[in-house]
Amino acid sequence: MKASRASIAIATGIAVVAGLYFVLPTLSRVVTRPFPGIYSIIDPVTGETKDVLKVKPLLDEYLVLARFAGDGPWKGPIYAKVMGSGDSYASPPLFQQDRMVSALALGEIGYLYHTPGNKDSRVGSSDTGYISNIASFGITTLFHRPLLAGHDERGELNMHQYTPATGERKVSVSTLNYSPRMIQVGISSVSNPDNAVDTDPLTPHMSSAASCCFYLPAQAAAPLQVKLEYRWLPKGQPEVLALTLPANSDADELLILVQADGSMGVAFRGPGKDLDLTPEGVRSIHGKPYPLPPAAERKARLTAELARRKRFLKDMYRLRDKDTGDSIEVAYQLRYLIDEYEKTITYLEAFSTCTATLATCDKQATAAARAP
């Protein structure tokens, strides 16, 4: 299989475990069920945090929204349920699942496991407490944080009280958090507070999924007065900042920018602008990189992720060498996982010793992973 940065470094391939060892801040409330929340992977090279799942309780089921590549808006819904002791799984296990582990079945796309105390699920353990086996990104360590705090989420996919007028257009809203603090931000119109949308709670140095929708005049006759409604997490009080939006008739996304010092502003993004790359090869907005952690923290995360993947590969070797007469399907899966993890580890080892630019290091590490 061809080794590339897409399949090796960013963890969108089935065999890639994405995510790095660090503790996400948690909100001060009692968690009665383990699955509701937002789940992220992390690019081990750039350190970028990408949300991939949002799980919400729904009576005796769960509603799941997904971003399978960690980009774009939330899609869904997918209806999920906790697996019972008598329910059958789509594939045989690699590990004997501990009785403390629970599994959430996400329709036909795979499973999300809660692994308290680093206990084994059917696909292994996770030091973050969560691991997935989902077709689009595979056996993947996930990072979990709570859903929106304080009130129900406002927005088209959730709870929206606003009926747009004739001549209004909708834009999605994203928050880019360049600060070292956890925050949650929403926006509302001063003239009609029902015209409002919330973005997801963010960890330091990350961007949110695009939330839909906020409504603007198609042809603005005057600047629009808005309020940014935000809360520093986990214990900050709600605060409001009044702003004036400039007129913009072609932008499809409104960006709320939380700067490193905690100050805030807004900017419009036109179609395709999030596809721009900086010379370092990371996504940008108007030439400014998306929020990334400081270099020292990215290095520490890469080192920790490399250690995690080596531990997982050691487990795969142990399973392969046991020769317990497992099915052909399990044997094939082990061979595939071992091959991909060996390539991934070679890439990360080469990248971690490189001192050149991101683009140059990526090129050198990719060549190393492809070498026979």
Side-chain angles (χ1 to χ4, degrees):
M1 179 174 290
K2 182 179 178 182
S4 66
R5 183 168 179 244
S7 64
I8 291 175
I10 306 185
T12 57
I14 190 168
V16 178
V17 173
L20 303 163
Y21 184 70
F22 73 108
V23 178
L24 293 180
T26 57
L27 301 184
S28 56
R29 67 181 186 184
V30 176
V31 177
T32 57
R33 292 195 279 183
F35 290 113
I38 303 172
Y39 295 83
S40 306
I41 61 175
I42 299 177
D43 185 327
V45 172
T46 66
E48 182 179 3
T49 301
K50 296 185 175 185
D51 289 338
V52 292
L53 295 173
K54 184 190 290 189
V55 180
K56 301 182 177 186
L58 182 67
L59 299 178
D60 59 345
E61 293 185 313
Y62 292 88
L63 184 149
V64 180
L65 303 176
R67 303 168 74 218
F68 292 122
D71 296 306
W74 291 110
K75 300 289 182 65
I78 300 163
Y79 293 97
K81 68 168 188 173
V82 175
M83 295 292 287
S85 58
D87 292 337
S88 59
Y89 289 77
S91 59
L94 294 174
F95 299 87
Q96 180 65 41
Q97 183 162 296
D98 188 273
R99 61 182 181 82
M100 293 178 63
V101 171
S102 52
L104 187 68
L106 281 66
E108 298 181 354
I109 70 170
Y111 304 92
L112 171 63
Y113 297 92
H114 177 228
T115 58
N118 210 17
K119 302 294 185 181
D120 271 337
S121 72
R122 294 167 61 90
V123 293
S125 62
S126 169
D127 50 10
T128 69
Y130 294 92
I131 189 170
S132 72
N133 187 12
I134 291 175
S136 61
F137 47 85
I139 299 173
T140 307
T141 295
L142 296 177
F143 296 88
H144 171 269
R145 67 185 189 276
L147 296 165
L148 185 68
H151 58 81
D152 291 332
E153 183 177 357
R154 301 168 299 177
E156 189 173 70
L157 290 177
N158 301 283
M159 183 178 136
H160 214 301
Q161 302 295 329
Y162 184 69
T163 301
T166 302
E168 288 188 321
R169 63 188 180 89
K170 62 184 180 181
V171 297
S172 58
V173 180
S174 298
T175 297
L176 280 65
N177 183 19
Y178 294 92
S179 82
R181 302 170 64 187
M182 190 173 183
I183 193 172
Q184 190 274 317
V185 185
I187 186 171
S188 65
S189 169
V190 170
S191 61
N192 190 330
D194 288 339
N195 183 11
V197 65
D198 290 306
T199 61
D200 298 316
L202 296 177
T203 61
H205 310 293
M206 77 166 291
S207 55
S208 74
S211 296
C212 189
C213 292
F214 189 66
Y215 291 88
L216 299 173
Q219 299 295 329
L224 183 67
Q225 305 297 312
V226 299
K227 295 188 295 184
L228 297 187
E229 301 154 346
Y230 63 96
R231 180 183 171 207
W232 297 104
L233 302 174
K235 296 182 180 180
Q237 296 300 311
E239 300 182 58
V240 175
L241 175 65
L243 291 174
T244 300
L245 296 185
N248 190 302
S249 59
D250 17 17
D252 54 11
E253 187 172 354
L254 178 64
L255 304 171
I256 302 172
L257 308 176
V258 182
Q259 305 298 348
D261 62 0
S263 62
M264 298 184 194
V266 293
F268 283 108
R269 180 187 65 80
K273 287 298 184 182
D274 63 342
L275 303 180
D276 293 343
L277 295 178
T278 68
E280 283 290 284
V282 297
R283 296 188 303 159
S284 69
I285 290 288
H286 303 308
K288 182 177 182 179
Y290 271 60
L292 298 176
E297 186 174 348
R298 295 200 304 268
K299 181 71 172 179
R301 292 180 178 185
L302 174 58
T303 300
E305 175 61 10
L306 182 56
R308 177 184 284 113
R309 297 189 186 196
K310 286 182 176 180
R311 289 194 298 270
F312 191 86
L313 181 60
K314 185 177 179 179
D315 286 341
M316 296 298 101
Y317 287 150
R318 177 173 56 83
L319 290 174
R320 180 195 62 186
D321 296 341
K322 280 176 62 176
D323 191 23
T324 57
D326 287 327
S327 68
I328 294 175
E329 183 179 353
V330 170
Y332 173 81
Q333 187 177 14
L334 284 174
R335 287 197 301 270
Y336 182 82
L337 289 170
I338 288 170
D339 180 61
E340 288 297 308
Y341 267 80
E342 287 176 340
K343 293 174 183 177
T344 301
I345 289 169
T346 299
Y347 176 96
L348 293 178
E349 286 179 331
F351 193 94
S352 66
T353 60
C354 181
T355 58
T357 65
L358 187 153
T360 299
C361 290
D362 173 58
K363 183 177 180 180
Q364 293 177 2
T366 299
R370 288 174 175 169

